[in-house]
Amino acid sequence: MSDAIEPRPGSARSTGLAGSGLSAGVAAAGVPTSGPGILYAGIALVAVLYFTRELLIPLALAVLLAFVLAPVVRGFRKLGVPRVASEMLGVLLAVGVLSGVGVLVGRQLTELANELPYYQATVMQKLNGLFGDGGLVGRVSEMLQTLGENLARHEEAPSSSTAPRTGLPPLPVEVREPTPGLLTVLQRVVGPLLGPVATTGIVIVFVVFLLLYREDLRDRVIKLIGSRDLQRTTAALNEAASRLSRYFLAQTALNTGFGLAIAAGLWAIGIPNPLLWGVIAGMMRFVPFIGAFIAAAFPLLLAVAVDPGWTMLIWVLLLFGVAEPVMGQIFEPLVYGHSTGLSPVAVLLATAFWAWLWGPVGLLVATPLTVGLVVLGRHVDRLEFLDVLLGDRAPLEPSEAFYQRALAGDGDGLAEQAELQLRTMPLRAYYDTVALPGLSLAQGDAARGALNRARLDVLRTRVDGLLDDLSDHEDAEAVAVNGPVERAGGEEAEKLEDWEAPPDWRMPGAVLCVAGRGRLDEQATVMLVQVLTLKGFGAMALSNDALRQVVPAQAGVQAVVLSALDKGSGAASARYAMRRLRRRFPGALLVAGVWGAGRDSPVMAALREEGQEICEARSLQEALDCLVSRTTANSQAGTPATAASET
């Protein structure tokens, strides 16, 4: 179902932090209200669902059936059938299929009821083999009885005995029911059928009206949820309805195929009434976790009753043990992805909730209803809390999860997240999209006083430990070239991967990375050094205190990068640092690395006012581009890079 549930375009969850100025907070999911009102509204909603279940159950079934029939109706429309006629044909097709299945199940149940007496002898024979005198249970019982008699011999026998009672023998009593009349017979026969027939009729009427007036219903839903952005709301609802229709139709088709496969397998094994058990198996696949066990229970019991031995029982176990994993692990991922979009806990809770609320029908519709709620939550802003509560996507963005784990001192969690992310992206992309935005969140909290020194020290320690673990990391070739976070232009990206640093840029200290004055700038500088070292540069990290020290001239410095998180250092301190670096290394390339800065960053604006030739970098990727561009320009000009000297 990976293609059936996607983030809505333009939503807050579909945009990353890297391109939005590195917001220093976690945006809350859209919720209806706050306070006790949520509790009261939830209680009222559950009460309405319970006391109006006689009406809501047919409506829920009709909605699901309408989603299943929507692609069928569209297929009739493509064939040139008029709109109303195509919808009526779809309903008639569904009624015909369901009626045929009902008749088939009824006949199979009748045959099973007629054959049950013939299975009694086999069952009694197996029970005697287990519980009879010569059976396993009988032998164990006889042994225990013998032990009990041996123990009883050592006890004193009771001395008193009760006298036999005397009196008249009991009189036999016979109770006869009067012959039922015609009305009584009709009540007993027709009464149990009235409920299902009435429910079926209501479902058919609801389906017809849902298909005929779906545009009107869509407009009313748009009015309820708000129509400030009519275009996006309409597109989101249409997309959600289309994906739900495809998902429910695909799930129905897969479950039907599963039922047919089970029926064919049971027929080959020799289980009576295989079509009945195939229908039950297909229906039970709508029930998560326990559906397969319920479907297998009936054929297993029948195998015990039919076969004098245990061969059929073993074959039935093998059939279900192979068919269910194959369907769940092979066919379902091929059709609609590896997941339904629901978290396992949500599936379990939803199944228990709907089964408690609506009984067996709720057990069958629990997963489809929950999937529909999650899809609405991902396409409607006001219902986003449903996606957060029930969906299988991570509730926190990767950068937010990085900050949370570092803040909680969870070093193992940081390492696991890094390992997972680095499977699909190079190291510089991980730092640019996860680690640096996470440090920016911490920097923002520290700047406004929400992060005290003790917790900041814990965060630094955990991040330093992660950086130490990643110090010897090497990008896999496939990941480095085809990573999801790359610059625009595939040819340029491939050229960058094939590029090698010149010999004079490989010397130790050829690229100096000077940390800013921010609380977490040193950690960001270490990330920069690791990325440059991975590309072959002789990078070296320097603390901000090195700018205040008088050091002798260092030969071979080709470039100097000022590394600072956005809003971690002020414009004045950045301007001062650049002036000192220009005086100390006049011939070197200066790179202003302000990680996560926007186009209107005051730090970048202050550096531009200096009028000096400075390469601006807002990410590690851009800093790497600055250095590669300089080396490429030098090689094309044929002029060797001059070593910087202190003035």
Side-chain angles (χ1 to χ4, degrees):
M1 169 74 195
S2 60
D3 63 337
I5 299 180
E6 295 292 341
R8 55 185 176 278
S11 65
R13 293 177 60 83
S14 63
T15 56
L17 290 175
S20 58
L22 300 176
S23 173
V26 180
V31 293
T33 181
S34 59
I38 298 179
L39 177 62
Y40 299 147
I43 295 175
L45 179 60
V46 172
V48 169
L49 291 174
Y50 180 78
F51 289 107
T52 61
R53 60 186 180 276
E54 299 296 334
L55 175 64
L56 293 181
I57 287 177
L59 180 59
L61 293 174
V63 171
L64 296 178
L65 187 57
F67 275 120
V68 173
L69 292 178
V72 179
V73 172
R74 287 195 296 268
F76 284 133
R77 293 294 305 276
K78 291 180 180 179
L79 295 176
V81 181
R83 174 176 172 271
V84 177
S86 62
E87 292 167 352
M88 297 305 298
L89 283 175
V91 175
L92 291 176
L93 177 62
V95 172
V97 171
L98 294 177
S99 300
V101 173
V103 172
L104 175 63
V105 170
R107 289 183 177 179
Q108 294 281 302
L109 286 174
T110 303
E111 294 178 3
L112 179 63
N114 295 331
E115 295 174 357
L116 282 179
Y118 298 100
Y119 305 144
Q120 183 176 1
T122 304
V123 175
M124 294 302 299
Q125 180 182 356
K126 289 187 176 182
L127 291 178
N128 290 332
L130 290 175
F131 299 98
D133 295 337
L136 176 62
V137 179
R139 293 178 181 178
V140 173
S141 178
E142 182 180 357
M143 182 186 65
L144 294 177
Q145 184 178 1
T146 303
L147 291 176
E149 292 177 355
N150 293 333
L151 293 175
R153 293 174 183 175
H154 300 283
E155 297 180 358
E156 184 178 357
S159 58
S160 61
S161 61
T162 58
R165 295 182 179 181
T166 60
L168 298 176
L171 298 176
V173 178
E174 183 178 357
V175 179
R176 294 186 178 181
E177 294 184 359
T179 303
L182 179 60
L183 294 179
T184 305
V185 174
L186 290 177
Q187 182 180 2
R188 292 179 179 178
V189 175
V190 180
L193 299 177
L194 289 179
V197 171
T199 302
T200 303
I202 295 174
V203 169
I204 294 174
V205 172
F206 278 157
V207 170
V208 172
F209 275 88
L210 287 174
L211 292 175
L212 289 176
Y213 299 101
R214 61 179 180 270
E215 289 83 4
D216 180 71
L217 293 174
R218 181 193 60 194
D219 296 342
R220 295 181 184 276
V221 171
I222 292 175
K223 184 64 177 178
L224 287 175
I225 64 178
S227 56
R228 294 181 179 179
D229 191 352
L230 189 60
Q231 182 273 336
R232 190 167 70 88
T233 304
T234 303
L237 288 179
N238 289 339
E239 185 180 9
S242 176
R243 289 179 174 177
L244 278 177
S245 297
R246 292 198 303 268
Y247 168 66
F248 291 150
L249 182 61
Q251 190 178 37
T252 303
L254 286 175
N255 292 351
T256 302
F258 178 79
L260 293 175
I262 292 296
L266 294 177
W267 173 80
I269 294 172
I271 300 296
N273 310 108
L275 293 178
L276 173 62
W277 313 125
V279 172
I280 294 177
M283 293 179 59
M284 286 298 103
R285 285 210 82 252
F286 287 100
V287 180
F289 301 120
I290 62 174
F293 297 99
I294 297 175
F298 300 103
L300 289 174
L301 292 176
L302 199 56
V304 174
V306 173
D307 187 11
W310 303 97
T311 305
M312 281 190 176
L313 180 67
I314 297 174
W315 279 111
V316 173
L317 283 173
L318 289 176
L319 175 64
F320 280 90
V322 173
E324 177 63 26
V326 168
M327 181 63 66
Q329 302 298 326
I330 298 178
F331 288 100
E332 285 185 353
L334 288 176
V335 175
Y336 50 73
H338 294 273
S339 172
T340 60
L342 304 177
S343 67
V345 177
V347 173
L348 181 62
L349 294 179
T351 303
F353 173 76
W354 290 109
W356 166 76
L357 202 63
W358 288 353
V361 178
L363 195 66
L364 291 175
V365 302
T367 300
L369 286 179
T370 309
V371 169
L373 293 176
V374 171
V375 171
L376 289 177
R378 295 192 179 181
H379 288 83
V380 180
D381 290 338
R382 294 187 180 182
L383 301 178
E384 187 182 357
F385 70 97
L386 294 174
D387 177 28
V388 176
L389 291 176
L390 305 174
D392 63 345
R393 293 187 302 157
L396 297 178
E397 297 291 342
S399 58
E400 297 168 349
F402 178 92
Y403 176 35
Q404 185 275 330
R405 285 161 175 73
L407 190 62
D410 186 6
D412 294 335
L414 279 177
E416 292 175 1
Q417 184 199 36
E419 180 181 359
L420 182 63
Q421 295 287 337
L422 289 173
R423 293 177 183 175
T424 58
M425 61 176 63
L427 183 65
R428 62 179 179 276
Y430 167 71
Y431 283 155
D432 276 337
T433 60
V434 178
L436 287 177
L439 291 182
S440 294
L441 293 175
Q443 178 64 54
D445 285 346
R448 60 189 179 89
L451 194 61
N452 57 34
R453 182 180 296 275
R455 299 176 68 186
L456 188 60
D457 290 340
V458 172
L459 185 143
R460 287 198 193 99
T461 301
R462 293 295 175 260
V463 174
D464 289 340
L466 174 65
L467 297 179
D468 184 64
D469 293 338
L470 297 179
S471 60
D472 56 351
H473 172 79
E474 293 184 3
D475 292 328
E477 183 177 355
V479 172
V481 174
N482 301 319
V485 182
E486 278 288 356
R487 298 175 301 159
E491 295 183 359
E492 293 184 1
E494 291 185 7
K495 290 180 180 179
L496 176 62
E497 298 305 328
D498 297 335
W499 178 88
E500 294 183 359
D504 50 350
W505 289 76
R506 292 177 175 270
M507 300 298 295
V511 180
L512 299 180
C513 302
V514 182
R517 299 184 61 183
R519 296 173 175 87
L520 298 169
D521 287 348
E522 291 186 2
Q523 284 71 27
T525 305
V526 174
M527 296 179 188
L528 173 64
V529 170
Q530 290 184 2
V531 169
L532 297 181
T533 303
L534 197 61
K535 293 303 300 179
F537 289 101
M540 179 184 298
L542 296 178
S543 64
N544 190 264
D545 295 336
L547 296 177
R548 304 184 183 91
Q549 300 173 0
V550 179
V551 296
Q554 185 173 355
V557 176
Q558 309 295 334
V560 182
V561 184
L562 178 64
S563 172
L565 291 169
D566 187 32
K567 300 179 181 178
S569 300
S573 62
R575 187 187 299 112
Y576 168 78
M578 276 299 176
R579 290 176 180 175
R580 294 293 300 268
L581 292 175
R582 173 57 66 194
R583 289 196 300 267
R584 185 169 299 178
F585 307 101
L589 170 66
L590 291 185
V591 180
V594 184
W595 318 126
R599 297 295 176 182
D600 55 349
S601 171
V603 176
M604 288 296 190
L607 295 177
R608 294 191 199 102
E609 293 176 357
E610 291 295 310
Q612 299 175 352
E613 183 181 354
I614 298 176
C615 186
E616 299 179 4
R618 298 170 178 81
S619 65
L620 302 184
Q621 177 67 63
E622 292 183 0
L624 182 61
D625 290 342
C626 289
L627 301 180
V628 172
S629 299
R630 170 57 69 92
T631 59
T632 304
N634 291 342
S635 61
Q636 292 177 353
T639 57
T642 58
S645 60
E646 184 178 356
T647 58

